[in-house]
């Protein structure tokens, strides 16, 4: 006989957000972009939209879906949240900006 015990133990502060991040990534890997976006949206709400990595993850997903304009807006928001301290984000924003300008037909400088 197999017995399964479920506890009503509370998650530590921030665990909900980490869980939703992981779940969003799993759903994205399964190409369930709508549910992945829902998980990220809930996580952003839980942390009062103060986690720039969540916004960055959402921007990457938009970019993968071919929506450069929405991705650029999200990357810019993530950059504002971290106040430019995340070098990786600054580099990604530079790449997305270049793609966005290419897509619009504008010349890069």
């Amino acid at each position: 006989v197999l017995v399964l015990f479920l506890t009503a133990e509370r998650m530590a502060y921030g665990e909900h957000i980490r869980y939703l991040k992981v779940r969003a990534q799993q759903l994205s890997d399964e190409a369930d972009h709508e549910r992945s976006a829902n998980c990220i949206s809930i996580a952003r709400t839980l942390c009062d939209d103060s986690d720039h990595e969540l916004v960055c993850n959402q921007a990457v997903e938009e970019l993968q879906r071919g929506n450069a304009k929405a991705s650029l807006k999200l990357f810019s928001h993530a950059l504002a949240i971290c106040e430019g301290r995340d070098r990786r984000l600054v580099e990604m924003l530079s790449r997305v900006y270049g793609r966005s300008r290419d897509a619009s037909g504008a010349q890069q400088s």
Side-chain angles (χ1 to χ4, degrees):
V1 175
L2 176 64
V3 178
L4 177 65
F5 293 97
L6 298 175
T7 63
E9 191 172 323
R10 293 176 57 122
M11 286 184 166
Y13 180 78
E15 283 297 311
H16 294 87
I17 296 166
R18 280 190 284 278
Y19 170 80
L20 287 165
K21 266 186 181 179
V22 170
R23 185 66 182 134
Q25 184 60 52
Q26 291 169 340
L27 291 166
S28 182
D29 292 345
E30 296 168 5
D32 190 344
H33 301 292
E34 185 176 330
R35 288 178 57 203
S36 174
N38 286 340
C39 285
I40 291 176
S41 177
I42 293 167
R44 286 178 63 184
T45 300
L46 286 172
C47 71
D48 294 326
D49 207 22
S50 63
D51 185 339
H52 76 283
E53 289 181 0
L54 281 171
V55 180
C56 189
N57 290 350
Q58 193 171 16
V60 169
E61 187 160 314
E62 286 295 329
L63 184 60
Q64 290 171 341
R65 294 169 64 185
N67 193 348
K69 189 173 183 177
S71 179
L72 178 60
K73 185 176 179 179
L74 287 164
F75 274 130
S76 297
H77 181 59
L79 188 62
I81 292 170
C82 74
E83 298 175 344
R85 286 177 272 197
D86 187 333
R87 190 77 196 140
R88 183 179 60 102
L89 176 58
V90 172
E91 291 169 5
M92 275 194 272
L93 184 57
S94 175
R95 282 186 294 210
V96 171
Y97 181 69
R99 285 186 190 178
S100 178
R101 290 185 56 143
D102 288 345
S104 69
Q107 291 182 347
Q108 283 185 297
S109 53

